[in-house]
Amino acid sequence: MSTISVRLHQVRPTTAEVTIRDHKLLIDRPESKGGGNWGAMGGELLLASLGGCFMSNLFEVVRSREAPVQKIQTTVTGTLEGTPPRFTAIELHVTADYPDEAEFQKFVTISERACIVANTLKPAVAITIQIEKR
C-alpha cells in the first residue's frame, strides 16, 4: 500500500492554499458564489485532476512507444445534477495529430486504465472519452 498526501491551509477568508510536493495553488469560489475568485473551485480541480492524470499517462504511452502523436489536447466537462450537487457524468474530449486512429484509440484506453483518478471515480460517475483528429 502507498499513500499520497497534500496540505491545505487558509490564506484568505474564502481561500485555501494547497501544497503538493513543491507546488502551491489556491482554491477559492468565484465572487458570484461568495468567494474571492483567488483560485479554482474544488470541483474544477477534480476535473483538472482527472484530465491531468489521464494526459500524464497518455504522454508516457506515446513517449514509450515513440509514436508520432503530437498536439494532444483534452477538454474535461462535468455534468452537475442533484441536491446536493454532484458530477453525474464526465466527458473527456481528446484531440491530437496522429497517423493511425486504431493505435491512438489503444493509447487512450491504456491511459484511462492507468489513471488513478479515473479508476477512483468510475464506480460513482459515468466517464466517457471522445477522440477527434486535429
Side-chain angles (χ1 to χ4, degrees):
M1 177 175 74
S2 62
T3 62
I4 297 174
S5 295
V6 302
R7 291 187 322 265
L8 296 97
H9 70 278
Q10 184 177 12
V11 293
R12 290 189 178 85
T14 63
T15 310
E17 180 183 77
V18 61
T19 302
I20 305 166
R21 293 177 300 168
D22 298 329
H23 311 285
K24 296 182 185 292
L25 62 100
L26 298 177
I27 301 172
D28 199 350
R29 300 167 68 86
E31 290 176 357
S32 64
K33 292 190 175 215
N37 199 38
W38 288 97
M41 294 186 302
E44 293 166 324
L45 292 172
L46 183 133
L47 298 177
S49 294
L50 173 59
C53 183
F54 169 79
M55 289 279 282
S56 175
N57 284 295
L58 184 55
F59 295 155
E60 179 55 22
V61 170
V62 168
R63 185 203 64 77
S64 67
R65 288 162 177 76
E66 299 178 0
V69 177
Q70 299 179 339
K71 300 180 182 176
I72 303 169
Q73 180 176 323
T74 300
T75 301
V76 184
T77 303
T79 301
L80 287 169
E81 294 183 286
T83 305
R86 64 181 284 278
F87 288 116
T88 56
I90 300 174
E91 179 179 282
L92 286 79
H93 184 92
V94 184
T95 60
D97 285 339
Y98 51 84
D100 183 330
E101 185 172 351
E103 179 182 58
F104 188 68
Q105 175 64 58
K106 180 179 176 183
F107 295 168
V108 166
T109 299
I110 292 167
S111 301
E112 179 189 14
R113 289 179 182 162
C115 177
I116 295 167
V117 179
N119 291 334
T120 302
L121 294 175
K122 283 178 192 177
V125 180
I127 298 174
T128 58
I129 301 178
Q130 301 297 321
I131 298 172
E132 182 180 335
K133 191 168 188 172
R134 282 185 161 271

